[in-house]
Amino acid sequence: MTIRLLVADDHPVVRDGLRGVFDGDPDFEVAGEAADGAEAVDRALALGVDVVLMDLRMPRMGGVEAIGLLRERAPAVHVLVLTTYDSDADVLPAIEAGATGYLLKDAPRDELVRAVRAAHQGHPVLAPTVAQKLIGRVREPATPAGTLTDRELEVLRLVAAGTTNREAARQLFISEATVKTHLLHLYAKLGVRDRAAAVAAAYRTGLLS
C-alpha cells in the first residue's frame, strides 16, 4: 500500500529536499506540503494523508499545537516530528500532544524512510538523543508539590487554563512583572523553558490533575 505523506515545514528548501527523498520510491506519495501548522492541519484533513512530517517551530501555528489538533480531528493520521531541536521543552510537549515519532533533521535518508514506515504502522520512533532524554525523565523522581510556593502553583494553574500573564495578574491582584517572575521561578524548579513544557511537567509529576 502506498503511504501518503504531507511535508510541513516553513522552509521551502527543506520541503523540496524531503520531497526528493520520497518521490522516487513507489511505496510513498508526497500528497502535499504545508508552510505552517495551521496549513498542515487543513491539508492533512483535505488530502487524506497517512503520515505528516512535522517541523515544530513554524509561523502562525507551531507543530505541537498542530499535532494536538490532528490527534483530535484525524486520529488515524500519524505525525513524525522532524526538527533540529531536541531540548526537553521541545520533545516532551510534542510527544504528549500525540506525535508518533521524533527525529532530527540530520537523520540519514534510510533512517528517515524506516521511521516513516514505522510511524505509518503506529510504532513509536525516536532519535537516540530524544530516547535518552525520555528515559532520563522517567528515572527522575517526581517533583514534589512542596517545591513550588502557593503563589507559583496559582500562577501555574492559571497558565494551564490558558490565561495570559496580564489576565493572571488581574485575577491574582499582582503586577504582570510579578507573574513573569513567578513563571521564571517555576520554570527553573520544573526544569523547563516555556509555558507549554511547564504545564506538561506539572501534569506528569502530579502538580496538576
Side-chain angles (χ1 to χ4, degrees):
M1 185 178 71
T2 301
I3 300 173
R4 289 171 57 80
L5 301 174
L6 177 74
V7 178
D9 196 291
D10 58 329
H11 296 289
V13 172
V14 174
R15 296 199 303 271
D16 288 345
L18 290 172
R19 180 179 283 278
V21 169
F22 295 98
D23 265 350
D25 192 323
D27 291 342
F28 300 94
E29 177 191 353
V30 180
E33 300 178 7
D36 59 61
E39 187 178 9
V41 174
D42 291 342
R43 302 219 70 194
L45 294 174
L47 296 171
V49 300
D50 302 304
V51 177
V52 178
L53 293 176
M54 183 81 75
D55 192 15
L56 288 184
R57 302 187 186 182
M58 296 181 287
R60 200 156 68 107
M61 179 187 292
V64 171
E65 186 176 353
I67 293 167
L69 288 174
L70 283 172
R71 189 178 187 179
E72 294 175 4
R73 300 178 186 177
V77 175
H78 297 288
V79 178
L80 178 62
V81 172
L82 190 61
T83 184
T84 57
Y85 307 101
D86 65 350
S87 69
D88 287 356
D90 294 299
V91 173
L92 297 175
I95 298 298
E96 290 173 350
T100 302
Y102 198 113
L103 285 188
L104 301 181
K105 287 181 178 177
D106 60 359
R109 178 190 182 281
D110 290 346
E111 182 181 341
L112 176 58
V113 171
R114 285 195 300 270
V116 172
R117 293 186 192 278
H120 179 241
Q121 297 297 320
H123 302 312
V125 184
L126 299 174
T129 57
V130 172
Q132 289 171 3
K133 287 180 181 295
L134 293 179
I135 290 172
R137 280 288 182 171
V138 170
R139 289 176 177 170
E140 286 178 0
T143 302
T147 61
L148 297 188
T149 66
D150 290 342
R151 182 63 88 187
E152 288 165 356
L153 281 170
E154 288 178 326
V155 171
L156 184 58
R157 291 190 186 101
L158 290 172
V159 167
T163 61
T164 65
N165 289 354
R166 180 173 298 179
E167 291 167 342
R170 188 181 304 115
Q171 292 187 40
L172 296 175
F173 301 101
I174 56 179
S175 70
E176 190 172 347
T178 301
V179 170
K180 292 178 180 178
T181 298
H182 287 312
L183 283 173
L184 291 175
H185 288 167
L186 67 89
Y187 290 168
K189 291 178 180 179
L190 295 175
V192 299
R193 297 193 305 179
D194 59 27
R195 297 163 70 95
V199 172
Y203 279 113
R204 187 180 62 255
T205 58
L207 289 171
L208 296 176
S209 59

